[in-house]
Amino acid sequence: MAHDHQHGGPAHRDHQHGRHEHHQHQHQHQHGGGDAADVAAMAEMLDLDAEVLHSYLSDLTAWIRELTGERPPRRILDLGSGTGAGSFALLERFDGAEVIALDASEPMLRHLEAAARERGLADRIRTVQADLDASRPELEPVDLVWASASLHHMADPDRVLADVLTMLRPGGLMIAVELDAFPRFLPDDLGFGRPGLEERCHAAMAEWRAAQMPHFGADWGPLLAKAGFSVEAERVFTIDLTPPLPDSAGRYAQASLRRMRTGLDGVLDSDDLAALDRLLDDDGGPGSVLRRDDLHVRARRMAWAARRPQTT
Ligand SMILES: C[S@@+](CC[C@H](N)C(=O)[O-])C[C@H]1O[C@@H](n2cnc3c(N)ncnc32)[C@H](O)[C@@H]1O
């Protein structure tokens, strides 16, 4: 498997430090490295997301198969690939295809490469390390660009989308996938603590997100049109997995809630924090998400399909 490095500018942005430092680690770029434990936790969460939401990913790639009609993609670019959830789902869907997995984070790409070797797919994936905020990577035009949960990280999405247009062949397809909220797992009444804990966690996060990640939850259709794409379709995927769920759902809930927990000291009151800690108990104590049988997985993903016009 080949991998390239394309760094056109400073590898790190200055992050403000403060109450939400962990959230910044959680959601902002981890160019070239980042805290190893944090990257590992993020990678674990992305892998569990792909595993637990496998059937949604399969529906999504089936939709792309329909959109690509008689010309299934051969060259695919996965922008902000993370651990490769999209890369692997697309390779599974499109037999003859090859993927370029591009990410700013070197450790994410190393994780993806190891997974590709394990799956016997190393010869169909090439990794490129590049910070899309800093420069436009020089790549041969591709048939399909996939960007899942990565566009909202960009400092200047208008500029990145304009670049993405030129990375596609004329007539090529761009699929943008985003979320407007993080998944929910818990019943309102946990059997301990005050009802509504998960909603209070999300409310605290939403406040932070509005300030730190202004593009999260954006309507990407008009932004794609403004960049010169012809927007063809938009789909909402609603995920509602109900018990009994596999063990991976408990681990996914734990990984997701744990990442939220790191930013909630001093934000939630001590009763809520104690309840959250009980849910997150690694040893699977009473009430832990690892042994609860009342977890759901509720999530929503939005997908936009947009084409580079033949004439640009
Ligand atoms: C939430 S993860 C999504 C990963 C993957 N697409 C998925 O759906 O599982 C966002 C990814 O975008 C990458 N990313 C963020 N900003 C970036 C930038 N400016 N250039 C390239 N990659 C970036 C991060 O390193 C991270 O791997």
Side-chain angles (χ1 to χ4, degrees):
M1 178 181 321
H3 66 257
D4 296 345
H5 297 257
Q6 298 202 356
H7 268 278
H12 289 267
R13 251 198 229 161
D14 285 340
H15 297 321
Q16 264 182 304
H17 287 277
R19 196 177 85 180
H20 291 292
E21 186 184 341
H22 349 262
H23 281 318
Q24 289 174 346
H25 281 273
Q26 174 178 347
H27 298 291
Q28 292 204 348
H29 318 169
Q30 287 151 345
H31 306 281
D35 174 65
D38 194 60
V39 176
M42 181 62 157
E44 186 197 4
M45 200 181 72
L46 293 176
D47 282 347
L48 284 165
D49 185 275
E51 184 178 339
V52 174
L53 306 188
H54 183 266
S55 107
Y56 136 78
L57 261 179
S58 173
D59 291 349
L60 181 48
T61 60
W63 181 56
I64 298 171
R65 178 72 193 83
E66 281 168 31
L67 291 166
T68 53
E70 292 184 357
R71 194 171 169 186
R74 298 197 65 83
R75 278 174 57 79
I76 298 172
L77 174 59
D78 182 356
L79 282 186
S81 61
T83 55
S87 299
F88 295 128
L90 290 163
L91 285 178
E92 195 179 316
R93 177 66 63 194
F94 297 108
D95 280 346
E98 291 184 356
V99 168
I100 301 159
L102 182 150
D103 205 285
S105 164
E106 173 113 33
M108 283 290 179
L109 292 175
R110 297 297 84 83
H111 185 104
L112 182 153
E113 287 168 357
R117 283 191 295 272
E118 255 175 49
R119 292 166 183 244
L121 291 170
D123 58 341
R124 294 177 64 200
I125 300 193
R126 177 161 74 95
T127 58
V128 173
Q129 189 195 4
D131 175 0
L132 293 165
D133 280 333
S135 64
R136 177 196 179 286
E138 291 305 322
L139 301 167
E140 290 291 307
V142 298
D143 304 305
L144 174 69
V145 172
W146 159 279
S148 168
S150 54
L151 289 175
H152 69 262
H153 287 272
M154 304 300 151
D156 183 356
D158 287 342
R159 210 217 75 243
V160 172
L161 289 178
D163 283 351
V164 172
L165 186 78
T166 66
M167 294 180 205
L168 275 170
R169 67 164 169 79
L173 191 66
M174 158 80 175
I175 300 290
V177 186
E178 283 288 331
L179 51 165
D180 57 1
F182 288 98
R184 263 58 170 187
F185 304 96
L186 303 173
D188 193 52
D189 183 359
L190 297 166
F192 52 84
R194 276 184 301 139
L197 172 64
E198 191 168 35
E199 282 319 306
R200 287 192 292 286
C201 294
H202 282 278
M205 267 194 84
E207 202 182 306
W208 165 83
R209 215 169 36 220
Q212 299 292 331
M213 287 204 303
H215 310 298
F216 188 91
D219 182 355
W220 292 89
L223 296 174
L224 285 158
K226 191 167 133 198
F229 287 91
S230 155
V231 181
E232 281 193 357
E234 183 182 333
R235 258 187 82 168
V236 176
F237 293 83
T238 303
I239 298 140
D240 188 357
L241 308 179
T242 54
L245 293 174
D247 288 352
S248 53
R251 284 184 279 119
Y252 180 43
Q254 190 192 42
S256 304
L257 291 166
R258 181 168 281 156
R259 294 189 69 77
M260 264 204 259
R261 169 69 181 88
T262 58
L264 294 173
D265 274 327
V267 179
L268 294 188
D269 67 28
S270 55
D271 287 349
D272 276 352
L273 291 174
L276 202 45
D277 288 339
R278 189 164 165 185
L279 286 163
L280 293 174
D281 180 22
D282 257 334
D283 298 328
S288 154
V289 290
L290 296 180
R291 61 187 288 179
R292 298 188 74 97
D293 57 10
D294 57 358
L295 295 183
H296 290 243
V297 181
R298 296 193 187 92
R300 219 161 77 102
R301 303 282 154 103
M302 275 79 67
W304 290 263
R307 227 172 260 283
R308 175 175 176 174
Q310 289 288 356
T311 49
T312 59

